[in-house]
């Protein structure tokens, strides 16, 4: 860790005092260079990948998988005019699932992971390593020697280098990018509140379908009880919860796929015309814009898929989606559409009414269990992004519990868990119906997708160094779909869409103020450092009695002597014979290998017995294994 220039140097005056500081507070390149590349990315056997793919069903895909519970209800809240309207909506669902979850996320965005970690902050961490855009100016070249600190060197005249210089040129561009990331993060947190609410409430609504005279209050009470139980299970960890939930979700996908195939056979194959993109055009021509808010719910949970990536390897998530999730979802939506075309009056309760009577109650039990699992995806995603925000100095310090010794991404944050539970119960009891919660849900999801798209553009330019043609194609297709949905959800802001905006605004304020305070504190420490010339003037005893022992002085600085040390010298009668300045430095990487976490270097002459220890980490403030 090289000594950071003083104010005099920044003004162009490299005086003798600065030269003295540089000589006696040597940089840590030598120490960092001794570290061997002992870290290797974990490789998984085929059997383990299949096992993890099975587990990922219970953690990653619950949200996306339970969308058939409420999509058609929110798409046609005012009823259906004719059959072609159903085919047009189904065509939109088919192509939305293909373009966004399958092509964009599973086969492209998942590759932009940060050493296995996903989410908006993971994308931001990648960008921070390839451009000096981190707002806390404590980056140093020794950080780049970490085995997990992957970055590319650009040709000076390349488009990537020009983009990098453009980002670094103005501080407001760095702040704008940070705010964009924080907005996406806050929307994912809002998603973690709304997903359990709409999923559990929709599943519990099956009781009212079977018993129409039952009060809606009973459904709400049942939903609240289920939510309390769900959040109370989080402390067991993703691994145990995944094994518990995965069979439920697998059974869910097989059942909705099987029922969908049965309904296609029973009610006719006419609905298969929806695979023709012509019906997408006809859908908009017939004024289907107002139905887009409901259709967009078919791709909710896609961002949680990316944010939950830290819990499982990419290959496991891809296998689970392509082999199980995608085909079963298509069959489920096509089967529901086939039923609705023959029973247009049943569109409000299309999911439950399309179930054959012989399997209704077993399906209700599985649907309720699957709705509980659906909530797990966004809850786990919220834990992951809060941990990432912690590491980048953008969130108050909270306890992070690592629930697995094998997989670093499997975590639990108690404080956030109970906050999410209270907010989720408030939303469920406050709205009491799927429609308004669905409008709020859609607003949160589409904003997160737009943020991911903008960050992916920079990733493709700076990290992957893609040809501009591929960047344009990706941007065009993504924005075509997402901006279309965004325009639709804007029309429903006053019908529940304001909820995620309020939640996001509250978390954004907390995160931005905390980040601003972190930056100011670091700047104060930098400008208040003690000169090495003053330290040397005190002599080896530092002007005090040196008593046996080791004294640890915590500091935010990775170089220089902190200002607080001068207070120790002037106010204490004695100090330990060995003084170690300890700095805990959070780096924009997913994990720091254990062999590379600590750098130790002597400060000043040998007889002063002063050292610096830099602990390089990217974990929660407090953590422990269960």
């Amino acid at each position: 860790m090289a000594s950071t220039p003083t104010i005099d140097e920044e003004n162009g005056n490299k005086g003798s005092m600065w030269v003295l500081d540089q000589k006696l507070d040597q940089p840590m390149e030598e120490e960092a260079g001794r570290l061997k590349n002992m870290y290797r990315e974990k490789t998984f056997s085929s059997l383990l990948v299949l096992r993890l793919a099975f587990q990922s069903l219970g953690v990653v895909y619950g949200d996306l998988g339970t969308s058939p519970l409420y999509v058609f209800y929110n798409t046609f809240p005012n009823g259906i005019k004719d059959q072609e309207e159903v085919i047009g909506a189904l065509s939109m669902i088919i192509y939305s699932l293909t373009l966004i979850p399958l092509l964009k996320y599973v086969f492209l965005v998942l590759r932009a992971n940060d050493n296995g970690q996903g989410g908006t902050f993971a994308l931001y961490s990648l960008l921070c390593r390839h451009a000096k855009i981190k707002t806390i100016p404590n980056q140093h070249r020794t950080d780049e020697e970490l085995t997990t600190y992957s970055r590319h060197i650009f040709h000076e005249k390349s488009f990537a280098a020009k983009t990098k210089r453009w980002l670094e040129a103005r501080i407001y561009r760095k702040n704008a990018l940070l705010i964009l990331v924080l907005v996406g993060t806050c929307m994912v947190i809002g998603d973690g509140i709304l997903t359990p609410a709409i999923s559990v409430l929709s599943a519990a609504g099956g009781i009212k379908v079977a018993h129409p005279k039952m009060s809606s209050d009973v459904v709400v009470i049942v939903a609240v009880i289920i939510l309390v139980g769900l959040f109370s299970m989080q402390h067991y960890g993703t691994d145990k919860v995944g094994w518990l939930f995965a069979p439920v979700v697998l059974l869910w996908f097989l059942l909705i796929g099987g029922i969908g195939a049965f309904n296609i056979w029973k009610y006719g194959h006419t609905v298969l015309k929806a695979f023709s993109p012509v019906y997408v055009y006809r859908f908009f021509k017939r004024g289907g814009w107002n139905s887009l808010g409901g259709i967009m719910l078919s791709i909710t949970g896609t961002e949680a898929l990316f944010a939950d990536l830290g819990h499982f390897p990419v290959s496991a998530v891809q296998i689970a989606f392509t082999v199980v999730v995608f085909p079963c979802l298509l069959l489920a939506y096509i089967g529901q559409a086939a039923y609705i075309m023959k029973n247009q009056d049943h569109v409000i309760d299309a999911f439950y009414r399309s179930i054959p009577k012989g399997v209704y109650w077993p399906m209700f039990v599985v649907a309720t269990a699957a709705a509980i699992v659906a909530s797990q995806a966004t809850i786990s995603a919220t834990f992951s992004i809060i941990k990432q925000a912690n590491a980048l100095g953008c969130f108050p310090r909270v306890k992070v519990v690592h629930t697995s010794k094998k997989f670093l991404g499997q975590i639990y944050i108690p404080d956030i868990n109970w906050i999410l539970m209270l907010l989720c119960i408030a939303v469920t009891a406050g709205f009491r119906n799927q429609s308004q919660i669905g409008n709020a849900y859609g607003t949160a999801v589409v904003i997160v997708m737009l943020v991911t798209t903008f960050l992916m553009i920079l990733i493709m330019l700076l990290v992957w160094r893609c040809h501009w043609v591929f960047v344009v194609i990706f941007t065009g297709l993504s924005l075509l779909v997402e901006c279309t949905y965004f325009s639709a959800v804007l029309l429903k802001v006053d019908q529940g869409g304001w909820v995620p905006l309020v939640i996001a605004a509250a978390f954004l304020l907390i995160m931005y103020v905390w980040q601003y305070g972190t930056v100011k504190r670091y700047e104060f420490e930098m400008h208040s450092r003690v000169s090495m010339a003053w330290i040397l003037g005190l002599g080896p005893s530092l002007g005090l009695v040196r008593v046996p022992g080791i004294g640890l002085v915590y500091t935010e600085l990775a170089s220089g002597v902190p200002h607080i040390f001068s207070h120790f010298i002037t106010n204490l009668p004695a100090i330990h014979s060995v003084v170690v300045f300890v700095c805990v430095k959070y780096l924009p990487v997913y994990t720091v290998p254990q062999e590379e976490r600590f750098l130790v270097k002597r400060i000043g002459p040998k007889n002063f017995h002063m050292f610096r220890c830099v602990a390089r980490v990217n974990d929660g403030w407090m953590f422990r294994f269960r």
Side-chain angles (χ1 to χ4, degrees):
M1 301 294 172
S3 180
T4 306
T6 61
I7 301 174
D8 288 338
E9 185 208 358
E10 292 172 357
N11 295 331
N13 297 320
K14 294 188 178 182
S16 59
M17 190 173 295
W18 178 80
V19 174
L20 183 64
D21 280 357
Q22 284 291 89
K23 182 179 180 181
L24 296 175
D25 188 11
Q26 290 295 320
M28 287 186 161
E29 284 90 343
E30 182 182 352
E31 170 70 14
R34 294 195 188 103
L35 296 169
K36 302 297 182 181
N37 187 352
M38 301 176 66
Y39 176 80
R40 295 290 184 273
E41 185 176 353
K42 283 189 176 182
T43 56
F44 301 95
S45 65
S46 300
L47 186 62
L48 181 57
V49 169
L50 291 177
R51 188 197 107 184
L52 292 172
F54 170 70
Q55 271 190 277
S56 71
L57 291 172
V59 177
V60 176
Y61 290 113
D63 187 7
L64 186 64
T66 53
S67 295
L69 282 168
Y70 45 78
V71 167
F72 280 109
Y73 168 79
N74 285 276
T75 302
F76 303 111
N78 300 319
I80 298 172
K81 298 177 183 178
D82 53 50
Q83 292 186 347
E84 188 165 323
E85 195 172 22
V86 179
I87 296 177
L90 177 62
S91 187
M92 282 292 299
I93 292 172
I94 291 172
Y95 284 101
S96 295
L97 282 171
T98 304
L99 290 174
I100 301 300
L102 181 65
L103 297 181
K104 177 185 174 182
Y105 278 85
V106 172
F107 289 111
L108 189 64
V109 175
L110 290 189
R111 293 181 57 237
N113 64 85
D114 179 17
N115 290 292
Q117 185 77 345
T120 51
F121 264 117
L123 299 179
Y124 183 66
S125 292
L126 283 175
L127 293 174
C128 285
R129 295 208 296 272
H130 291 80
K132 295 180 180 179
I133 57 175
K134 192 176 178 184
T135 52
I136 300 178
N138 64 345
Q139 293 169 298
H140 192 265
R141 57 181 173 272
T142 55
D143 300 338
E144 301 171 11
E145 296 177 10
L146 285 172
T147 51
T148 52
Y149 197 106
S150 58
R151 68 186 297 270
H152 301 293
I153 299 175
F154 311 117
H155 189 276
E156 190 174 345
K157 294 184 179 180
S158 66
F159 189 73
K162 294 178 181 178
T163 305
K164 177 177 179 291
R165 288 194 294 270
W166 181 83
L167 276 175
E168 296 173 348
R170 297 286 186 272
I171 187 65
Y172 74 85
R173 293 171 187 165
K174 300 178 184 180
N175 287 330
L177 184 61
L178 176 64
I179 292 174
L180 181 68
V181 172
L182 293 181
V183 167
T185 301
C186 294
M187 286 298 172
V188 174
I189 296 174
D191 194 10
I193 296 168
L194 295 169
T195 298
I198 190 171
S199 299
V200 174
L201 192 61
S202 299
I207 303 175
K208 193 171 176 60
V209 173
H211 301 283
K213 295 182 179 180
M214 182 177 291
S215 172
S216 298
D217 293 338
V218 176
V219 176
V220 173
I221 292 172
V222 171
V224 169
I225 293 173
I226 293 173
L227 289 172
V228 172
L230 170 67
F231 282 99
S232 299
M233 292 178 61
Q234 294 303 312
H235 70 280
Y236 288 108
T238 306
D239 189 54
K240 294 179 181 178
V241 171
W243 275 116
L244 177 65
F245 286 168
V248 174
V249 178
L250 179 60
L251 179 61
W252 164 259
F253 278 119
L254 294 178
L255 285 174
I256 62 173
I259 291 174
F262 172 79
N263 285 332
I264 296 171
W265 170 79
K266 182 177 181 179
Y267 297 105
H269 302 79
T270 306
V271 73
L272 295 178
K273 294 189 296 183
F275 280 96
S276 171
V278 173
Y279 287 93
V280 174
Y281 168 75
R282 292 184 179 179
F283 175 79
F284 286 107
K285 188 177 180 180
R286 292 170 57 88
W289 208 276
N290 292 329
S291 300
L292 284 178
I295 294 173
M296 196 200 62
L297 296 178
S298 63
I299 56 176
T300 55
T302 305
E303 191 62 36
L305 179 156
F306 181 43
D308 277 327
L309 188 60
H311 299 261
F312 304 98
V314 174
S315 56
V317 177
Q318 290 175 330
I319 290 172
F321 187 84
T322 53
V323 175
V324 178
V325 179
F326 186 66
C328 288
L329 282 178
L330 287 183
L331 286 173
Y333 286 118
I334 295 171
Q336 277 193 55
Y339 175 83
I340 293 172
M341 289 180 66
K342 299 295 184 180
N343 304 273
Q344 296 182 16
D345 295 337
H346 294 172
V347 67
I348 294 179
D349 302 309
F351 175 79
Y352 280 112
R353 290 186 180 274
S354 65
I355 299 173
K357 292 183 179 180
V359 295
Y360 181 86
W361 286 111
M363 192 62 189
F364 168 76
V365 174
V366 175
T368 304
I372 296 173
V373 178
S375 308
Q376 181 63 45
T378 51
I379 294 171
S380 300
T382 303
F383 292 160
S384 296
I385 61 172
I386 291 295
K387 175 179 176 290
Q388 295 170 30
N390 248 333
L392 292 174
C394 297
F395 199 83
R397 303 303 187 189
V398 291
K399 182 171 73 173
V400 177
V401 180
H402 290 254
T403 57
S404 173
K405 293 182 179 181
K406 295 180 179 179
F407 305 102
L408 293 176
Q410 298 188 1
I411 61 172
Y412 164 65
I413 305 178
D415 298 334
I416 299 301
N417 182 65
W418 304 124
I419 291 174
L420 289 180
M421 185 188 75
L422 293 176
L423 291 175
C424 185
I425 291 174
V427 169
T428 305
F431 282 121
R432 306 170 68 84
N433 69 82
Q434 304 172 30
S435 181
Q436 287 188 318
I437 299 178
N439 294 336
Y441 192 19
T443 303
V445 169
V446 73
I447 292 176
V448 177
M449 289 183 176
L450 284 170
V451 170
T452 300
T453 297
F454 290 128
L455 292 177
M456 279 299 299
I457 293 171
L458 295 176
I459 293 291
M460 295 177 76
L461 292 173
L462 294 179
V463 182
W464 294 349
R465 292 175 290 179
C466 296
H467 194 278
W468 65 269
V469 174
F470 294 106
V471 179
V472 170
I473 293 173
F474 168 80
T475 306
L477 288 176
S478 297
L479 293 183
L480 176 65
V481 178
E482 291 161 9
C483 287
T484 302
Y485 281 130
F486 184 63
S487 64
V489 299
L490 286 178
L491 301 176
K492 299 187 177 182
V493 170
D494 61 337
Q495 302 173 33
W498 57 270
V499 174
L501 300 180
V502 172
I503 294 172
F507 277 96
L508 179 62
L509 180 62
I510 294 171
M511 296 173 78
Y512 189 78
V513 168
W514 189 269
Q515 191 274 341
Y516 178 81
T518 302
V519 172
K520 291 303 178 183
R521 182 182 61 184
Y522 184 81
E523 291 176 350
F524 173 79
E525 292 274 358
M526 286 291 295
H527 291 293
S528 303
R529 290 181 302 173
V530 178
S531 168
M532 280 302 302
W534 183 78
I535 296 290
L536 291 179
L538 298 174
S541 68
L542 299 177
L544 302 172
V545 177
R546 303 296 290 266
V547 298
I550 300 176
L552 302 178
V553 181
Y554 178 76
T555 174
E556 295 287 334
L557 300 178
S559 62
V561 178
H563 179 66
I564 190 65
F565 189 64
S566 65
H567 289 278
F568 291 159
I569 298 297
T570 55
N571 292 284
L572 295 178
I575 197 167
H576 294 88
S577 59
V578 177
V579 177
V580 181
F581 298 101
V582 180
C583 170
V584 179
K585 184 176 182 181
Y586 293 90
L587 301 181
V589 296
Y590 171 49
T591 183
V592 180
Q594 187 173 356
E595 300 81 9
E596 304 178 32
R597 286 190 175 175
F598 299 98
L599 296 179
V600 180
K601 193 74 176 180
R602 185 186 302 279
I603 299 177
K606 186 176 181 179
N607 58 351
F608 275 62
H609 301 295
M610 295 172 59
F611 301 88
R612 179 185 326 286
C613 175
V614 178
R616 304 182 294 183
V617 298
N618 187 12
D619 284 323
W621 179 247
M622 297 175 61
F623 58 90
R624 61 187 175 89
F625 288 111
R626 285 201 174 277

